[in-house]
């Protein structure tokens, strides 16, 4: 009775706060996901009780009774109003490998503690690890998105998005992180590692707060043809690695169509094995805003770039941390001496053809 009362209370509190889950931030936090319980009981690619089965009906709140990799032989399309609770998986957690997860054209999706690793097992080089083109009200939190082929995250025409506390690393193929158009979008406390460019590419009004970007060719990118957008870029740390040839491409393709509030960001360009950067708030030919375009941005930026580094590395990605994410973190911790932009996930040296085991 008490338990029922407490869970009802928790539910009411969540509803009252209007958040996807306690602690959800940014534009995607309006997502409410699904509420009909569904338990994934099989790691098989398809059939009763599989992940593919789970997401085929809208309104579901999905939990996992199995752990390990789900090896996909074709892309999986999510339905609208879905919650994926990866943190409920026993043991070492849950992930998918080999094909795209798509929320294309869908609405109202919450994904937490889920590993999405495409890789060159996917023969379709036009697909991404996670695609949410033309979707709306989507939040990814504590996810690990690696080995994307087209982009790690593709989000063209997507409204109300948050990606928070997530790893977006080691894209192969185009070697791009994320491409988002439309928005608004919030990128909060993510770790971007060994991507060539697009970390993210954003043609949208954007909040970019307490992110860590390591070993980039170009980091925060707006595109020359991007249109008129506003950007709050606060408390991020850009860190050069072995593949970084121009550390000053921390802000890339900035132009006079962009309005930017850049505050408290740091760049460590010297690849010397120590975190010893300096302020980096100069945004090229963009129009400089003297205050944030969004009234919530400054309140979200609770960490200095130095403490963002510590906090993000300690807690980012799907929990519990597995082989792939541990490798990614160890590369960042070299602070300039380790890391490569690769074309094949096996080049990471991680076991199981680069996927590790869960
Ligand atoms: C969905 O499932 C999770 C995990 O069991 C639970 O914490 C959450 O309250 C559920 N949400 C809804 C809306 O039913
Ligand atoms: C985005 O969120 C806002 C605020 O909750 C809402 O008014 C708007 O309808 C949402 N946009 C879409 C496309 O759902």
């Amino acid at each position: 009775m008490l338990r029922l009362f407490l869970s009802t209370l928790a539910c009411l509190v969540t509803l009252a706060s209007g958040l996807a889950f306690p602690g959800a931030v940014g534009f995607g936090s309006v997502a409410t996901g699904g509420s009909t319980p569904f338990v994934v009981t099989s790691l098989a690619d398809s059939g009763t009780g599989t992940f593919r089965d789970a997401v085929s009906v809208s309104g579901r709140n999905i939990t996992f009774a199995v752990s390990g990799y789900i090896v996909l032989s074709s892309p999986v399309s999510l339905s609208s109003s879905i919650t994926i609770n990866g943190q409920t998986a026993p043991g070492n957690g849950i992930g998918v490998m080999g094909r795209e997860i798509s929320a294309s054209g869908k609405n109202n999706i919450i994904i937490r503690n889920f590993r999405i690793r495409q890789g060159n097992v996917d023969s379709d080089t036009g697909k991404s690890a996670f695609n949410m083109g033309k979707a709306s009200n989507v939040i990814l939190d504590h996810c690990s998105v690696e080995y994307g082929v087209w982009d790690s995250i593709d989000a063209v025409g997507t409204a109300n998005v948050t990606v928070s506390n997530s790893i977006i690393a080691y894209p192969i193929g185009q070697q791009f992180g994320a491409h988002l158009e439309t928005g608004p979008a919030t990128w909060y406390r993510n770790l971007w590692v060994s991507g060539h460019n697009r970390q993210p590419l954003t043609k949208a009004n954007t909040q970019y707060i307490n992110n860590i970007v390591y070993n980039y060719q170009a980091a925060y990118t707006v595109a020359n043809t991007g249109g008129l957008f506003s950007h709050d870029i606060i408390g991020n740390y850009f860190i050069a690695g072995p593949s970084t040839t121009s550390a000053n491409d921390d802000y890339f393709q900035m132009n006079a169509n962009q309005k930017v509030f850049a505050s408290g960001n740091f760049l460590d360009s010297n690849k010397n094995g120590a975190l010893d950067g300096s302020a980096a708030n100069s945004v090229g030919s963009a129009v400089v805003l003297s205050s944030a375009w969004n009234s919530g941005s400054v309140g979200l930026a609770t960490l200095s770039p130095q403490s963002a580094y510590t906090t993000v590395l300690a807690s980012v990605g799907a929990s519990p941390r597995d082989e792939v994410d541990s490798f990614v973190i160890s590369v960042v911790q070299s602070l300039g001496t380790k890391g490569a932009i690769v074309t094949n996930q096996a080049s990471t040296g991680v076991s199981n053809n680069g996927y590790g085991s869960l």
Side-chain angles (χ1 to χ4, degrees):
M1 190 61 170
L2 179 65
R3 202 169 155 203
L4 182 65
F5 170 74
L6 287 175
S7 69
T8 306
L9 191 66
C11 191
L12 288 175
V13 169
T14 306
L15 290 176
S17 65
L19 289 179
F21 49 85
V25 301
F27 295 105
S29 66
V30 297
T32 53
S35 56
T36 310
F38 187 97
V39 185
V40 173
T41 53
S42 165
L43 291 178
D45 178 33
S46 61
T48 306
T50 62
F51 175 70
R52 194 182 293 275
D53 181 19
V55 301
S56 67
V57 174
S58 67
R60 285 183 172 166
N61 185 29
I62 298 163
T63 57
F64 295 85
V66 288
S67 63
Y69 269 121
I70 299 160
V71 183
L72 303 174
S73 59
S74 61
V76 173
S77 288
L78 307 183
S79 301
S80 290
S81 299
I82 286 278
T83 303
I84 299 171
N85 299 289
Q87 69 276 12
T88 60
N92 295 323
I94 192 82
V96 294
M97 58 181 271
R99 291 285 174 156
E100 180 179 87
I101 300 294
S102 176
S104 176
K106 302 300 180 356
N107 174 46
N108 189 23
I109 291 170
I110 302 170
I111 307 179
R112 304 186 71 196
N113 284 285
F114 198 59
R115 299 161 187 82
I116 306 175
R117 296 177 178 146
Q118 186 186 13
N120 66 5
V121 169
D122 191 342
S123 56
D124 188 343
T125 56
K127 290 279 197 289
S128 302
F130 184 67
N131 168 24
M132 53 173 148
K134 297 191 173 69
S136 53
N137 307 314
V138 181
I139 184 164
L140 266 64
D141 182 65
H142 283 287
C143 289
S144 297
V145 186
E146 281 113 349
Y147 310 145
V149 177
W150 185 252
D151 289 309
S152 294
I153 297 174
D154 199 80
V156 176
T158 309
N160 293 344
V161 180
T162 293
V163 179
S164 55
N165 303 301
S166 292
I167 295 177
I168 301 154
Y170 280 86
I172 60 174
Q174 289 204 106
Q175 303 170 320
F176 290 158
H179 177 184
L180 191 140
E181 299 188 17
T182 301
T186 305
W187 305 90
Y188 176 79
R189 296 191 185 185
N190 301 300
L191 179 63
W192 310 74
V193 182
S194 295
H196 187 280
N197 192 344
R198 300 188 181 174
Q199 316 200 68
L201 161 61
T202 179
K203 304 183 187 181
N205 293 337
T206 304
Q207 297 175 301
Y208 190 71
I209 296 171
N210 289 152
N211 292 272
I212 308 297
V213 190
Y214 178 74
N215 196 33
Y216 56 91
Q217 277 286 321
Y220 192 94
T221 302
V222 295
N224 296 324
T225 57
L228 306 161
F229 297 110
S230 299
H231 311 259
D232 290 338
I233 306 176
I234 310 175
N236 303 284
Y237 217 133
F238 303 97
I239 306 169
S243 315
T244 308
T245 52
S246 179
N248 291 322
D249 285 338
D250 46 358
Y251 306 108
F252 191 58
Q253 297 177 338
M254 284 292 181
N255 60 66
N257 286 338
Q258 313 304 318
K259 293 180 178 167
V260 179
F261 177 69
S263 171
N265 301 290
F266 262 53
L267 166 63
D268 183 352
S269 58
N270 64 15
K271 312 182 190 180
N272 70 345
L275 190 66
D276 56 358
S278 54
N281 299 302
S282 171
V283 289
S285 52
V287 175
V288 173
L289 297 176
S290 56
S291 59
W293 72 267
N294 184 277
S295 60
S297 294
V298 172
L300 279 184
T302 53
L303 302 175
S304 67
Q306 294 82 357
S307 44
Y309 175 86
T310 308
T311 299
V312 168
L313 263 62
S315 63
V316 76
S319 179
R321 193 165 278 170
D322 65 84
E323 262 183 277
V324 175
D325 288 353
S326 296
F327 163 77
V328 170
I329 298 288
S330 72
V331 166
V332 178
Q333 286 170 330
S334 79
L335 290 168
T337 63
K338 289 186 190 165
I341 298 174
V342 302
T343 56
N344 180 340
Q345 71 282 345
S347 307
T348 58
V350 174
S351 72
N352 188 24
N353 190 31
Y355 291 97
S357 54
L358 297 179

